[in-house]
Amino acid sequence: MAPAAAAPGLPVGLRWESAEALLSAAPGASAVAVGLYRRGQRSFLVRGSTAREGGVPVEPSTRFEIGSLSKTFTALLFAEQTARGEVGHHDPAARHLPAGTCVPVRGTDITLTHLATHTSGLPRLPPGLLRSGIRRLPSNPYASFTRADVLRALARTRLRSRPGTRVRYSNFGVGLLGHALCGAAGGLPYEDLLAARVLRPLGLHDTSATAGPPPGGTQVTGYGHGRPRPPFAVPGLPGAGAVRSSARDLLTVAEALIRPGGADVTGVGVSSDLGLRHAAVTGAPSALLRTALEDVTRPRLALPRTTSRLALIWNIRLRADGPGLYHHSGGTRGCTAFVAFSPRHDTALVALANCAPGLRAPFVQQAYDTVSDLLRTPA
């Protein structure tokens, strides 16, 4: 791909050399999909096939495992249930977990907002998870750890800090939030509740918390250390990492977070061979979901000794030109995902690759640098 100035169909300010750098920043991947949105225009850049052998060409609708980016969907589900009055931000988590669940206390109860801001005091993982999955550690360490195991582990967990006093990233905490939200909704499975309250209302056709794609859909095979990995399984903590999604759907979510009121968006899809394909996206979220979209991005706390803030799950990096850049990444044993958006600049970027994150695959950093450069470029 020859370096050149931004071509028609690309968001203003994105150079082809920047696009090439991002598409090439995931060595070992057979598939990379990038979605870009800027001021009413969306574009897609895709490269490769869904697998090294026997795959099909990647499309903007191709599904990838998004790992911890799943947490942003759980946060939006939390905000939606809050908007409808089903739960409250400061509800004790124990209120919505199964009767008899022992939730540790240290000075104060763990609330739902503590879980959604990584301030619950819970450790990163439930006690016993890695020990139970030691044989699957290279590929699928969460696969045999069930919801029942998670709730049993909670009873023997010692909080690392008093809830609300310290940010400590916790898959355990956000996974527990997912279980609490399901409890508040009458015990619906996470994948069904998420689909009913968030995915279908937003018109997300490629996204689910199930392992397989919808009929007619395509999904990548993940790779780690050059080897294909089995589908990532996290039955005990689906709210922390079970979601699969596409560049198309994730860009739709980012646009909705930028403009909760909804707006028509038109643009072009750009494939790696620079062929152009026109597309259009329309839609306006319901009043309930608009409230949730606004709530999920409201800054909740400042991180000590940094210029960063934390919303419900979303990280916010403050900028000199005003409100910050929202961002989050995710990774499994076979895929890497990144989303960032700036409401002030009306800009968003999605980047997906079917290789595991690692020191030799600077995909997330390159994606962050790419969107940061965009924000510095006048539209």
Side-chain angles (χ1 to χ4, degrees):
M1 186 182 297
L10 279 178
V12 177
L14 182 67
R15 300 167 306 195
W16 283 120
E17 56 264 35
S18 297
E20 175 65 22
L22 182 52
L23 289 168
S24 303
S30 73
V32 177
V34 177
L36 302 135
Y37 165 81
R38 199 173 198 199
R39 300 189 178 182
Q41 186 182 67
R42 58 162 38 195
S43 304
F44 296 98
L45 296 92
V46 297
R47 172 172 290 178
S49 61
T50 55
R52 293 178 184 173
E53 297 180 5
V56 298
V58 179
E59 297 285 346
S61 59
T62 299
R63 285 164 42 109
F64 292 70
E65 297 167 351
I66 64 170
S68 285
L69 199 55
S70 303
K71 295 177 175 67
T72 64
F73 283 92
T74 301
L76 189 51
L77 178 60
F78 173 31
E80 193 276 348
Q81 290 182 250
T82 301
R84 68 171 60 223
E86 204 164 59
V87 299
H89 281 293
H90 303 296
D91 285 359
R95 180 181 300 173
H96 303 296
L97 294 171
T101 300
C102 181
V103 180
V105 175
R106 184 171 174 180
T108 187
D109 290 330
I110 297 172
T111 69
L112 299 183
T113 295
H114 290 149
L115 296 173
T117 55
H118 298 295
T119 57
S120 65
L122 290 167
R124 187 181 186 93
L125 296 172
L129 186 150
L130 291 180
R131 184 171 62 252
S132 71
I134 191 67
R135 294 181 180 177
R136 297 184 177 89
L137 192 59
S139 59
N140 230 339
Y142 298 83
S144 63
F145 210 75
T146 66
R147 174 177 176 269
D149 291 326
V150 168
L151 297 180
R152 281 194 293 268
L154 188 61
R156 60 178 187 274
T157 297
R158 179 178 178 273
L159 297 184
R160 302 311 198 248
S161 56
R162 180 180 176 181
T165 63
R166 182 178 176 185
V167 175
R168 183 187 294 270
Y169 188 88
S170 177
N171 291 315
F172 191 6
V174 183
L176 195 64
L177 174 63
H179 293 313
L181 298 177
C182 292
L188 282 174
Y190 176 82
E191 59 268 25
D192 295 340
L193 182 60
L194 184 68
R197 301 291 183 82
V198 174
L199 306 183
R200 287 198 291 270
L202 283 176
L204 306 182
H205 303 292
D206 313 319
T207 306
S208 74
T210 57
T218 59
Q219 184 165 294
V220 300
T221 296
Y223 291 90
H225 300 290
R227 299 178 181 179
R229 298 303 184 189
F232 186 67
V234 56
L237 301 166
V243 176
R244 274 81 167 166
S245 192
S246 66
R248 177 175 71 177
D249 274 5
L250 290 172
L251 199 61
T252 297
V253 175
E255 292 165 15
L257 290 164
I258 288 172
R259 296 183 176 187
D264 289 355
V265 179
T266 61
V268 291
V270 184
S271 67
S272 59
D273 62 1
L274 308 190
L276 303 184
R277 290 166 290 138
H278 291 273
V281 176
T282 62
S286 67
L288 196 68
L289 199 50
R290 283 200 303 271
T291 299
L293 289 163
E294 292 169 354
D295 189 30
V296 83
T297 55
R298 183 167 67 83
R300 304 281 166 169
L301 53 88
L303 299 184
R305 298 178 296 280
T306 73
T307 59
S308 297
R309 302 289 185 268
L310 194 63
L312 295 180
I313 296 298
W314 286 100
N315 304 297
I316 311 170
R317 180 66 60 85
L318 298 186
R319 295 175 56 85
D321 56 1
L325 176 66
Y326 291 76
H327 63 95
H328 207 286
S329 62
T332 66
R333 289 297 194 267
C335 288
T336 305
F338 175 83
V339 173
F341 63 93
S342 169
R344 175 181 174 83
H345 295 86
D346 199 17
T347 297
L349 181 140
V350 172
L352 302 167
N354 68 333
C355 64
L359 294 177
R360 296 184 179 180
F363 189 65
V364 168
Q365 185 62 54
Q366 184 63 51
Y368 185 90
D369 292 345
T370 299
V371 71
S372 295
D373 288 344
L374 269 174
L375 300 191
R376 288 191 288 266
T377 305

